[in-house]
Amino acid sequence: SDHSSLAGDAYSIFINPSLTEVLCTTTAEAIAMNKWAIVPSHPSNAFFMQFPNCLSYCNRREFVSILEKARYNDPPPISEELFRLLSWEAATLRCVRAAAVPKRDAARDDRISRTTKEKTSSLKKVYRSISSSSSSSPSEAVASYEGIGLVTP
């Protein structure tokens, strides 16, 4: 069961003054129950700013002003379109979209991975060549391997 049974209770204002606590679920529930939600103007609350019953403030003076507005006015109704944004389905879709890797980034990561594998493979060949070499010293073995330049002091 959800909190919809609280929609008609005596409280019509939800205040989340925190910048450090993550209370987005309770803020979303208050908005969905068509209560006023009062939150700080902060990037973590940007999603909620599109709802007509969400009020934000930047300082104490603004907080007092919007609290007075909420105390003496009913929250405006939420459109069906906005209400759908509060569903678990919409939240899941936002999460999937946020986690998606653009094709361009995936292709770049693939190129980097292949280049790294090629370099690693090449170094393994050098190591095997050095390990199996009959040269008297490692530097002679490295120098004898095609494609490797050896700088000696």
Side-chain angles (χ1 to χ4, degrees), residues 3 28 43 46 49 70 76 98 100 105 116 123 137 140 150-151:
H3 298 93
M49 297 298 103
D105 292 347
T116 302
L123 288 173
S137 72
E140 286 178 16
L150 182 63
V151 177

Side-chain angles (χ1 to χ4, degrees), residues 114-124:
R114 275 190 309 226
T115 302
T116 302
K117 286 178 185 173
E118 289 167 4
K119 287 180 181 178
T120 302
S121 176
S122 181
L123 288 173
K124 285 180 181 177

